[in-house]
């Protein structure tokens, strides 16, 4: 059985004071939750603060994006090792806001994915269709193309490395991100199952182990029905992650539905 995962995506929100209140409240609220994994992806300037407030807790922290290059003349960019230097263990990649607002492509997501795993960061690859694509019945085509662009660049060794790092897929229908609209549990399940089957074409053992989380207006009030679906392994939470009580409630749902106490060495083995 897979262990649930809840990831908060703060996007471009927060300040030193509000972050401190939020993180202290989360640290307190999530302390007793042992059955799932919890992550906050904070804006880069606050990673240092996240590290100092979270390092002795059961909450991990990560970046919201990363550059594919190690270092150089890339003004405004952040390298994988800068994230790991600040204790990050996760990084979001290919978020729809990056794709739509910053014109990131499948190709750049693949390059970032490769750079992330080489730096020992667990990649969370976001995939999902726009409303127009959804209405045109293109969801599976779009999700497959976003996945394949990354999977095709991974040789067997990199694929095994990504599995060792517990790579994560996040299905985020773009029409549900930040809109208050949520996919129904059945819609989410259908695409999560599709994602798992697509991974199985590459490696059946990996497919049953990889975590696929749902994102798109997840709240405490809808988390249970979503996370209860067999192929939904938790959530990627935007707006609701900025409210400590709401995020804690979502984490509690994930925790209550997940009985897997920890990942074992065996879980990492891709057969
Ligand atoms: C997100 O930012 O990935 C997200 C899912 O946002 P929201 O929960 O606000 O829809």
């Amino acid at each position: 059985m897979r262990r649930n995962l809840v990831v908060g995506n703060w996007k471009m929100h927060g300040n030193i004071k509000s972050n401190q209140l939020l993180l202290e409240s989360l640290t307190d609220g999530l302390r007793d939750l042992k059955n799932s994994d919890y992550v906050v992806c904070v804006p880069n300037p606050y990673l240092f603060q996240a590290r100092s407030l979270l390092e002795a807790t059961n909450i991990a922290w990560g970046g919201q994006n990363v550059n594919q290059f190690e270092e150089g003349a890339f003004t405004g960019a952040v390298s994988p090792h800068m994230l790991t230097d600040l204790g990050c263990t996760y990084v979001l990649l290919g978020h729809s806001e990056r794709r739509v607002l910053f014109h990131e492509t499948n190709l750049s997501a693949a390059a970032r994915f490769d750079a992330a795993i080489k730096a020992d960061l667990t990649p969370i690859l976001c995939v999902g269709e726009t409303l127009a694509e959804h209405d045109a019945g293109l969801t599976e085509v779009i999700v497959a193309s976003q996945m394949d662009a990354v999977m095709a660049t991974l040789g067997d060794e990199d694929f095994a490395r990504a599995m060792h790092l517990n790579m994560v897929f996040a299905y985020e229908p773009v029409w549900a991100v930040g809109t208050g609209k949520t996919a129904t549990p059945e819609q989410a399940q259908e695409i999560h199952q599709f994602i798992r089957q697509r991974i199985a074409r590459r490696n059946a053992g990996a497919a049953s182990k990889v975590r696929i989380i749902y994102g798109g207006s997840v709240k405490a009030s809808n988390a249970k029905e979503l996370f209860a679906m067999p192929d939904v392994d938790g959530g990627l939470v935007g707006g609701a992650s900025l409210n400590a009580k709401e995020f804690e409630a979502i984490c509690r749902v994930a925790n209550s539905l997940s009985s897997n106490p920890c990942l074992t060495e065996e879980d990492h083995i891709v057969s």
Side-chain angles (χ1 to χ4, degrees):
M1 187 183 169
R2 295 174 297 273
R3 191 171 155 85
N4 278 337
L5 168 70
V6 182
V7 181
N9 175 17
W10 288 9
K11 312 195 191 203
M12 197 172 72
H13 292 289
N15 57 58
I16 289 176
K17 185 75 205 149
S18 67
N19 300 343
Q20 181 168 351
L21 292 173
L22 178 52
L23 292 176
E24 282 175 353
S25 174
L26 286 181
T27 303
D28 218 34
L30 305 192
R31 184 172 293 131
D32 62 318
L33 305 188
K34 308 272 189 246
N35 295 336
S36 300
D37 295 321
Y38 317 100
V39 182
V40 287
C41 291
V42 312
N44 290 336
Y46 302 124
L47 285 170
F48 195 84
Q49 184 187 25
R51 179 172 70 173
S52 65
L53 289 170
L54 297 176
E55 64 188 343
T57 74
N58 60 344
I59 306 171
W61 59 99
Q64 298 175 7
N65 196 13
V66 75
N67 195 268
Q68 68 263 41
F69 298 111
E70 231 354 271
E71 65 176 353
F74 302 106
T75 302
V78 167
S79 77
H81 281 109
M82 290 175 185
L83 294 186
T84 54
D85 234 7
L86 287 163
C88 291
T89 44
Y90 288 83
V91 66
L92 296 176
L93 295 171
H95 190 280
S96 58
E97 286 153 14
R98 299 297 316 176
R99 292 177 191 265
V100 173
L101 302 173
F102 299 96
H103 313 295
E104 288 183 7
T105 60
N106 281 339
L107 224 60
S108 80
R112 289 158 204 263
F113 189 102
D114 185 56
I117 60 169
K118 293 212 158 78
D120 280 343
L121 283 164
T122 297
I124 303 172
L125 181 68
C126 304
V127 296
E129 81 288 3
T130 64
L131 185 58
E133 291 160 347
H134 176 81
D135 290 347
L138 293 173
T139 300
E140 291 188 359
V141 174
I142 296 299
V143 167
S145 68
Q146 292 168 334
M147 290 179 67
D148 293 353
V150 172
M151 291 292 129
T153 63
L154 300 180
D156 286 346
E157 207 176 302
D158 283 340
F159 185 85
R161 184 178 188 83
M163 280 309 295
H164 184 75
L165 289 162
N166 297 312
M167 72 171 160
V168 177
F169 287 84
Y171 171 54
E172 296 211 302
V174 181
W175 47 270
V177 174
T179 60
K181 286 187 208 152
T182 315
T184 64
E186 293 73 24
Q187 280 173 318
Q189 168 57 25
E190 191 181 329
I191 303 305
H192 281 232
Q193 189 176 33
F194 172 77
I195 292 171
R196 203 174 299 289
Q197 283 166 351
R198 195 113 192 136
I199 302 165
R201 285 165 42 152
R202 173 76 185 257
N203 186 311
S208 65
K209 287 169 185 159
V210 90
R211 290 188 287 190
I212 307 169
I213 59 178
Y214 168 81
S217 300
V218 173
K219 302 184 271 289
S221 58
N222 60 24
K224 189 168 181 186
E225 52 178 17
L226 286 161
F227 299 174
M229 301 311 278
D231 286 297
V232 179
D233 306 313
L236 176 51
V237 185
S241 70
L242 298 170
N243 178 313
K245 286 295 153 215
E246 185 77 10
F247 191 62
E248 178 188 330
I250 295 168
C251 292
R252 285 195 175 273
V253 169
N255 190 67
S256 70
L257 292 171
S258 181
S259 60
N260 193 1
C262 62
L263 288 168
T264 64
E265 263 304 302
E266 212 172 88
D267 288 322
H268 296 303
I269 295 166
V270 180
S271 48

